Amino acid sequence: MTQQKLDQFKTLLKEQASYGEAIGLMGWDMRTKAPKKGMGHRAEVLGVLSQKVHEIQTSDEMKSCIDELKGKVEDPVMKRALEEAEETYEKTAKIPVDEYREYVTLQSQAESMWEEAKDNDDFDSFRPYLEKLVEYNRKFADYWGYENHRYDALLHNFEPGVTVEVLDQVFPKVREALTSLLDKIKNAPKQPDPSVLEGHFPKDKQEQFSAEILKRMGYDFQAGRLDETVHPFAIGLNTNDVRVTTKYDETDFRTAIFGTIHEGGHALYEQNIDENLSFTPLADGTSMGIHESQSLFWENFIARTEAFWQTHYELFKSYAPDSFKDLPLDDFYRAINEVKPSFIRIEADELTYCLHIMVRYELEKALIGGEIEVKDLPRLWNEKMKDYLGVEPETNREGVLQDIHWSGGAFGYFPSYALGYMYAAQFSKKMQESMAVESHIQNGDFQPIKEWLTEHVHQYGKMKKPLEIVNDVTGEGLNPDYIVDYLTEKYQKIYQF
Amino acid sequence: MTQQKLDQFKTLLKEQASYGEAIGLMGWDMRTKAPKKGMGHRAEVLGVLSQKVHEIQTSDEMKSCIDELKGKVEDPVMKRALEEAEETYEKTAKIPVDEYREYVTLQSQAESMWEEAKDNDDFDSFRPYLEKLVEYNRKFADYWGYENHRYDALLHNFEPGVTVEVLDQVFPKVREALTSLLDKIKNAPKQPDPSVLEGHFPKDKQEQFSAEILKRMGYDFQAGRLDETVHPFAIGLNTNDVRVTTKYDETDFRTAIFGTIHEGGHALYEQNIDENLSFTPLADGTSMGIHESQSLFWENFIARTEAFWQTHYELFKSYAPDSFKDLPLDDFYRAINEVKPSFIRIEADELTYCLHIMVRYELEKALIGGEIEVKDLPRLWNEKMKDYLGVEPETNREGVLQDIHWSGGAFGYFPSYALGYMYAAQFSKKMQESMAVESHIQNGDFQPIKEWLTEHVHQYGKMKKPLEIVNDVTGEGLNPDYIVDYLTEKYQKIYQF
């Protein structure tokens, strides 16, 4: 009886994963290849398939599998899959069907309203939508339940185990350290000169160099590919088909090259998840934060280091325009690590990035908690930007309207980006204790690094929760000291303060 | 009540079409973009989604929609969709579930066995599989039923309305005319010289020229795209997303250029199906034969004409290698229309092509009818090749093993190719009666031609049956005289006999 039920459960998971792969491919296609006139039809098809996934997750069959199998399954993969399925079932079951349907409609309306509002720098036209989204999210959080802070219920969707209590211990420490570092950097006598990076860098050359670096990182092109898009992403259709996308700016190679390496880090994670997790919901990154730790690790802890460029600068120059021929390595290295407060999160350097996140975290926590309202956002946004980054945007387009996340109802997502930095620094430190990371980078030998990440992080997929991984790998919980130490040491050298 | 049932029916059709689009995209992706390591997983996903389509088509819900709505639906689209759904339901219901499942497994085994057998020129290793496939097809034909010839039941799957009775009237006439034409061509004093077409033609130039011609044909690149593949095809995911694929041979431009135009003809059909048929099984070509008539029309009746090259030869030369610079148009035109009996169907010219089909038709008709057995095929194949084409392959690889169709159980498919030629000739004649086709071609003005085809053929999708279209457009049934007249007139001029 149990075996029969287990087979039924596996069949449901396989269907769910199959729809997932189809949905993933359709999304990849829409963002890289699909002709624009077919988009409307495709969106409807996506709607049908997403509905099917939702139906499986909340079906009576799924419920009976959960009820009958709970506590009776030995196989660790199926046991975790069952927990995951139960959590999804419970989470969805707690929301009244009508409210969920209204919310899905609101999401798509709000996203297109946000796009327009951003274009027109018109917060007020978006405000009523954002107010409704906040209202729904407050309600959903109440349905789901929480122990201390209502925002915890939303955080859980992106970073299970991380709560307001944790973040309120960690984030202020990081914020204070970064603002003080930023002060020193601003006043440092020797500033990098980013103008040395200028010059027309043809797209095909950028592509060739990016692909070459991906290969060296250990990204498997027989289980993936590299394409062009507008908003770069990586997507795992299955562990043997994990695709990277990038965009090319012929006037600034940094977009493509660091962008490709960043997405390559995400892709390495998904390519190296244990194949035994295939056709289960566990064949995926365990959280947004751990996923981001992998992309940031490769982008910053590898590809923005001096050691990396000591080996790869000659290779880079073989693809780069002639203007780089006589540029000294040190000038290049300092230029690609320039720190400069700016308005836009996605253009921020690795030091100010976390400060952008702090602004968002504090605002959305207060918003969901009911301490502030949507109408207060533009003013508070600008105040916090001034406090933490020392710059104040003159338009909402460059301020509170810049990110897509809230328009899709994604509250609780932003902290994952900062957590990604912290996890990456913490993993990096641990890795250094067990091998000569810098000399591997200098030798262009990334194999041991990739293997370390696979062994400690990638292979598990969702078998381990994010903080479980952090604890298992580093022997302690989330610790903000590592990111602070890393940034302090690095930028002291670069800015010589 | 009926309205509610109709809504349920529409929902089922929309789900079916949505799975269809996902399956189509996955197929396109596997043949153009997907990394090879992901193929195994993808095949499983395809299996799950195909199973879902089959489940919908044969579901109790579908049955109840058919039963309750039959005769009560006014809307012509829904009426036809209902007929189509009923036919699919009945067809599937007549086959015992176990036999169908065994057959699906056999199909995939047989396809890979065929590939191996072809590589090794080893008919005997494929023979037991082919025998089983024939046996199943005989049984299925008996389940489905037929009036005169068992093979009719299979023909119906590809070309509804066309029977052995029809083909046995038409095909011999065509065959006799073609073999007699072929004799005259062989003995004609002035043979074309295909060696004038040789020369290294870079892939990117071929691609640019092919895309330019597609555009001129009226293929909408905002509702499609052109990619490279191994076995070219066109695929309509929806009427606003119809993709063409091609392959490039740098030593022979004809592969890509005539291939792209051929697939472009298929694509124009699907791009111009009435959008009101979206999300129904009617948003598709009405039969294999009518589909082929559209591709062959553009490939031969447009792109292999003297009129076409009078206008496009200069354009062609602007992309072609220098060796074409001094090649006279007439030599070029005669070379691209060389007639030469050969072993391989897919490499055949437009005159001998139908003879390849006659060989296959006669063999599969006799095979399904039980007059011959699989073991007789190699001998009979070679005998017929000698009779009709005057050439006899020395290996089965170049003979009976060359085509994939039988290995997938597709008996009754081949006649569609020859029907495509006949339909195309019949449409072409009719088109000439209503407009100055040749001068449109000479002016490079394909708009009226495309519009004629849309008005008479494309827009209907599956709303009309193939012979209904032929009758409505030409005022008569299938008539082989047109293809014979067309080929006679054309090749008399070229070969001057």
Side-chain angles (χ1 to χ4, degrees):
Chain A
M1 185 57 200
T2 307
Q3 183 56 45
Q4 202 182 328
K5 210 65 201 171
L6 188 60
D7 289 342
Q8 191 192 1
F9 180 57
K10 285 182 184 171
T11 302
L12 290 174
L13 294 186
K14 187 168 180 178
E15 284 182 10
Q16 192 179 317
S18 296
Y19 292 134
E21 179 156 334
I23 290 169
L25 179 66
M26 286 193 277
W28 171 84
D29 184 65
M30 287 170 96
R31 294 168 72 178
T32 56
K33 307 287 175 194
K36 71 175 192 188
K37 285 189 185 170
M39 292 296 186
H41 197 279
R42 177 66 62 80
E44 288 196 62
V45 170
L46 268 179
V48 170
L49 267 76
S50 305
Q51 174 66 22
K52 286 284 154 195
V53 173
H54 187 254
E55 277 172 27
I56 293 175
Q57 287 173 335
T58 57
S59 64
D60 294 342
E61 290 89 335
M62 186 61 91
K63 175 74 175 138
S64 85
C65 288
I66 294 165
D67 290 344
E68 291 187 34
L69 292 172
K70 212 173 153 178
K72 290 180 200 149
V73 179
E74 298 285 323
D75 173 54
V77 173
M78 280 302 114
K79 211 174 145 181
R80 263 296 289 132
L82 206 62
E83 286 168 23
E84 197 67 22
E86 183 177 13
E87 194 181 322
T88 305
Y89 183 89
E90 295 297 337
K91 219 177 86 179
T92 319
K94 283 178 180 164
I95 297 182
V97 176
D98 286 350
E99 283 184 38
Y100 180 75
R101 198 176 299 124
E102 286 157 24
Y103 181 65
V104 170
T105 310
L106 174 64
Q107 276 175 316
S108 70
Q109 288 171 339
E111 257 192 51
S112 67
M113 284 310 298
W114 163 75
E115 251 183 65
E116 232 182 282
K118 186 184 171 190
D119 283 350
N120 302 327
D121 191 29
D122 177 11
F123 182 75
D124 283 340
S125 68
F126 179 51
R127 191 179 127 183
Y129 294 88
L130 189 53
E131 281 167 348
K132 275 188 218 155
L133 287 165
V134 169
E135 199 185 313
Y136 273 106
N137 273 276
R138 286 173 179 165
K139 263 201 287 189
F140 292 174
D142 288 339
Y143 290 142
W144 291 327
Y146 48 88
E147 275 184 37
N148 297 311
H149 197 291
R150 191 196 265 155
Y151 183 68
D152 288 346
L154 304 183
L155 272 176
H156 183 81
N157 292 335
F158 302 98
E159 213 60 30
V162 172
T163 59
V164 167
E165 197 185 345
V166 173
L167 294 181
D168 281 349
Q169 272 171 20
V170 167
F171 278 7
K173 280 190 203 166
V174 175
R175 199 187 66 223
E176 280 156 32
L178 294 189
T179 46
S180 126
L181 259 179
L182 193 54
D183 263 350
K184 289 179 190 147
I185 284 172
K186 276 185 201 158
N187 298 319
K190 204 183 157 199
Q191 296 287 327
D193 175 12
S195 76
V196 301
L197 304 179
E198 284 165 16
H200 180 85
F201 199 141
K203 188 172 124 172
D204 60 329
K205 294 287 177 188
Q206 291 192 41
E207 189 182 340
Q208 287 160 21
F209 181 72
S210 301
E212 178 61 34
I213 297 297
L214 276 183
K215 252 181 240 156
R216 292 181 182 212
M217 285 166 64
Y219 174 76
D220 183 352
F221 271 94
Q222 297 204 321
R225 43 180 296 127
L226 175 62
D227 294 275
E228 198 176 347
T229 192
V230 179
H231 301 292
F233 61 98
I235 186 168
L237 303 176
N238 60 63
T239 58
N240 284 307
D241 187 350
V242 182
R243 305 180 183 195
V244 173
T245 66
T246 193
K247 71 171 174 184
Y248 301 98
D249 178 347
E250 294 198 322
T251 68
D252 188 348
F253 70 88
R254 289 172 295 182
T255 303
I257 288 169
F258 293 108
T260 307
I261 294 169
H262 180 98
E263 300 306 334
H266 283 303
L268 277 186
Y269 190 176
E270 305 245 343
Q271 278 189 340
N272 293 292
I273 291 173
D274 187 344
E275 282 200 44
N276 286 325
L277 306 181
S278 287
F279 289 118
T280 78
L282 311 173
D284 198 358
T286 188
S287 73
M288 300 309 304
I290 297 290
H291 231 308
E292 202 65 16
S293 77
Q294 299 307 297
S295 52
L296 291 171
F297 179 82
W298 286 97
E299 182 188 350
N300 295 319
F301 293 78
I302 304 276
R304 280 192 214 268
T305 62
E306 212 167 355
F308 181 85
W309 290 103
Q310 277 160 3
T311 327
H312 295 88
Y313 194 44
E314 284 309 311
L315 181 74
F316 171 84
K317 286 202 272 189
S318 74
Y319 293 97
D322 286 345
S323 49
F324 286 88
K325 227 179 61 190
D326 301 318
L327 179 65
L329 173 59
D330 191 53
D331 293 359
F332 175 85
Y333 169 68
R334 297 182 73 239
I336 62 167
N337 281 296
E338 191 206 15
V339 170
K340 197 177 172 187
S342 65
F343 303 135
I344 306 297
R345 175 183 58 87
I346 58 167
E347 294 167 6
D349 55 78
E350 67 172 329
L351 194 145
T352 58
Y353 193 96
C354 286
L355 296 173
H356 286 269
I357 297 305
M358 307 297 162
V359 171
R360 288 155 179 79
Y361 164 65
E362 292 172 16
L363 292 177
E364 63 180 27
K365 180 182 68 171
L367 204 51
I368 298 301
E371 297 143 41
I372 63 169
E373 292 303 327
V374 168
K375 66 173 167 43
D376 307 318
L377 283 177
R379 182 179 48 83
L380 291 171
W381 182 284
N382 290 2
E383 282 175 19
K384 283 187 190 290
M385 282 296 288
K386 195 151 190 210
D387 277 0
Y388 301 163
L389 284 125
V391 295
E392 200 183 334
E394 284 179 19
T395 63
N396 287 322
R397 186 197 310 196
E398 292 175 303
V400 68
L401 283 176
Q402 71 183 267
D403 295 309
I404 195 175
H405 303 59
W406 290 345
S407 79
F411 296 92
Y413 187 134
F414 282 121
S416 303
Y417 293 112
L419 290 167
Y421 274 97
M422 292 172 207
Y423 296 149
Q426 208 162 333
F427 293 152
S428 171
K429 184 72 184 176
K430 204 69 200 173
M431 194 188 283
Q432 282 165 13
E433 287 171 21
S434 69
M435 66 169 96
V437 179
E438 192 174 331
S439 80
H440 284 311
I441 299 177
Q442 258 159 354
N443 297 332
D445 178 15
F446 302 118
Q447 183 70 9
I449 295 172
K450 188 195 123 186
E451 278 170 11
W452 191 95
L453 293 169
T454 295
E455 185 195 335
H456 291 92
V457 182
H458 301 170
Q459 62 164 325
Y460 297 109
K462 271 187 189 305
M463 283 296 286
K464 290 186 180 183
K465 302 266 181 183
L467 291 181
E468 201 179 341
I469 288 186
V470 173
N471 268 295
D472 287 355
V473 177
T474 67
E476 61 180 323
L478 178 65
N479 184 340
D481 293 345
Y482 299 103
I483 185 76
V484 172
D485 290 350
Y486 156 76
L487 291 172
T488 307
E489 196 189 336
K490 175 169 176 179
Y491 287 96
Q492 258 174 355
K493 261 196 204 154
I494 293 176
Y495 281 87
Q496 302 172 5
F497 50 81
Chain B
M1 186 56 197
T2 306
Q3 184 56 45
Q4 202 183 328
K5 210 68 201 168
L6 189 60
D7 290 342
Q8 190 192 3
F9 180 57
K10 285 182 184 173
T11 302
L12 290 175
L13 293 186
K14 186 168 181 180
E15 283 181 11
Q16 193 178 317
S18 297
Y19 293 134
E21 179 157 334
I23 290 168
L25 179 66
M26 286 193 277
W28 172 84
D29 184 65
M30 287 170 95
R31 294 167 73 178
T32 58
K33 308 287 175 194
K36 71 175 193 188
K37 286 190 185 169
M39 292 296 186
H41 196 280
R42 177 67 62 81
E44 287 195 64
V45 170
L46 269 179
V48 171
L49 267 77
S50 305
Q51 174 66 22
K52 287 285 153 193
V53 173
H54 188 254
E55 277 172 27
I56 294 175
Q57 288 172 334
T58 57
S59 63
D60 294 342
E61 289 90 335
M62 185 60 93
K63 175 74 175 139
S64 87
C65 288
I66 294 164
D67 290 344
E68 291 188 35
L69 292 171
K70 214 174 152 178
K72 290 181 200 150
V73 178
E74 298 286 323
D75 174 55
V77 173
M78 280 302 115
K79 213 175 144 177
R80 262 297 289 131
L82 206 61
E83 285 168 25
E84 197 66 23
E86 184 176 13
E87 195 182 321
T88 305
Y89 182 90
E90 295 297 336
K91 219 177 85 178
T92 319
K94 283 178 181 165
I95 297 183
V97 175
D98 285 351
E99 284 185 37
Y100 180 75
R101 198 175 302 126
E102 286 157 24
Y103 181 64
V104 170
T105 309
L106 174 63
Q107 276 176 315
S108 69
Q109 288 171 337
E111 256 192 52
S112 66
M113 284 311 297
W114 163 75
E115 250 183 67
E116 228 182 285
K118 187 183 170 191
D119 283 350
N120 303 328
D121 190 30
D122 176 12
F123 182 76
D124 283 339
S125 69
F126 179 51
R127 193 179 126 184
Y129 294 88
L130 189 53
E131 281 168 347
K132 276 188 217 154
L133 286 165
V134 169
E135 199 187 312
Y136 273 107
N137 272 276
R138 285 172 179 164
K139 263 201 288 187
F140 292 173
D142 289 339
Y143 291 143
W144 291 326
Y146 48 87
E147 275 184 40
N148 297 310
H149 197 291
R150 191 197 266 156
Y151 183 67
D152 288 347
L154 303 182
L155 272 175
H156 183 80
N157 293 335
F158 302 98
E159 213 59 29
V162 172
T163 59
V164 167
E165 197 185 346
V166 173
L167 293 182
D168 281 349
Q169 272 170 22
V170 167
F171 277 8
K173 282 191 201 165
V174 175
R175 196 185 68 224
E176 281 155 32
L178 294 189
T179 47
S180 126
L181 259 179
L182 194 53
D183 263 351
K184 290 180 188 148
I185 283 172
K186 276 184 200 160
N187 298 319
K190 205 185 158 200
Q191 297 286 330
D193 175 11
S195 76
V196 300
L197 304 179
E198 285 165 14
H200 180 85
F201 200 141
K203 190 173 122 171
D204 60 329
K205 294 286 176 188
Q206 292 192 41
E207 188 182 340
Q208 288 160 22
F209 181 72
S210 301
E212 177 62 34
I213 298 297
L214 277 184
K215 253 182 237 157
R216 291 180 183 213
M217 284 165 66
Y219 173 77
D220 183 353
F221 270 95
Q222 297 204 320
R225 44 181 293 128
L226 175 61
D227 294 275
E228 197 176 348
T229 191
V230 179
H231 301 292
F233 62 97
I235 185 166
L237 302 176
N238 60 62
T239 58
N240 285 308
D241 187 351
V242 183
R243 306 182 183 193
V244 173
T245 65
T246 193
K247 71 171 173 184
Y248 302 98
D249 177 348
E250 294 198 321
T251 68
D252 188 347
F253 71 86
R254 289 173 295 183
T255 303
I257 287 169
F258 293 108
T260 306
I261 295 170
H262 180 98
E263 300 306 334
H266 284 302
L268 277 185
Y269 190 175
E270 305 245 346
Q271 278 190 340
N272 293 292
I273 291 174
D274 188 344
E275 282 200 44
N276 286 325
L277 305 182
S278 286
F279 289 118
T280 78
L282 311 173
D284 197 358
T286 189
S287 72
M288 299 309 304
I290 297 291
H291 230 308
E292 201 66 15
S293 77
Q294 299 307 298
S295 52
L296 291 170
F297 180 82
W298 286 97
E299 181 188 350
N300 295 319
F301 294 78
I302 304 276
R304 282 193 212 268
T305 62
E306 213 167 353
F308 181 84
W309 290 104
Q310 278 160 3
T311 327
H312 295 88
Y313 194 43
E314 285 309 310
L315 181 73
F316 171 83
K317 287 203 272 189
S318 73
Y319 292 97
D322 286 346
S323 51
F324 286 88
K325 226 179 64 190
D326 301 318
L327 179 66
L329 173 58
D330 190 54
D331 292 0
F332 174 85
Y333 169 68
R334 297 181 75 241
I336 62 165
N337 282 294
E338 191 205 16
V339 169
K340 195 176 175 190
S342 64
F343 303 135
I344 307 296
R345 176 183 59 86
I346 58 166
E347 294 166 5
D349 55 77
E350 67 172 329
L351 195 146
T352 58
Y353 192 95
C354 286
L355 296 173
H356 286 269
I357 297 305
M358 308 296 164
V359 171
R360 288 155 179 78
Y361 164 65
E362 291 172 17
L363 292 177
E364 62 180 27
K365 180 182 68 172
L367 204 52
I368 298 301
E371 296 144 43
I372 63 169
E373 293 303 329
V374 168
K375 65 173 168 42
D376 308 318
L377 283 176
R379 181 180 46 84
L380 291 170
W381 181 284
N382 290 3
E383 282 175 20
K384 284 188 188 289
M385 282 296 289
K386 194 152 191 209
D387 278 1
Y388 301 164
L389 284 125
V391 295
E392 201 183 333
E394 285 179 20
T395 63
N396 287 321
R397 186 196 312 197
E398 292 175 304
V400 68
L401 283 176
Q402 70 182 265
D403 295 310
I404 195 175
H405 304 58
W406 290 345
S407 78
F411 297 91
Y413 187 135
F414 282 121
S416 302
Y417 293 112
L419 290 166
Y421 275 96
M422 293 172 204
Y423 296 150
Q426 209 163 330
F427 293 152
S428 171
K429 184 73 184 172
K430 204 69 201 173
M431 194 189 285
Q432 283 164 15
E433 287 171 22
S434 68
M435 66 169 97
V437 179
E438 193 174 330
S439 81
H440 285 311
I441 299 177
Q442 259 159 353
N443 297 332
D445 178 16
F446 301 118
Q447 184 68 11
I449 295 172
K450 189 196 122 185
E451 279 171 9
W452 191 96
L453 293 169
T454 295
E455 184 194 336
H456 291 91
V457 182
H458 300 170
Q459 61 165 325
Y460 297 109
K462 271 187 186 305
M463 283 295 287
K464 290 185 180 183
K465 302 265 182 186
L467 290 181
E468 200 179 341
I469 288 186
V470 173
N471 268 295
D472 288 354
V473 177
T474 68
E476 61 180 323
L478 178 66
N479 184 339
D481 293 346
Y482 298 103
I483 186 75
V484 173
D485 291 351
Y486 155 77
L487 291 172
T488 307
E489 198 190 331
K490 175 169 176 178
Y491 288 96
Q492 260 175 355
K493 262 197 203 153
I494 293 174
Y495 281 86
Q496 302 172 4
F497 50 82

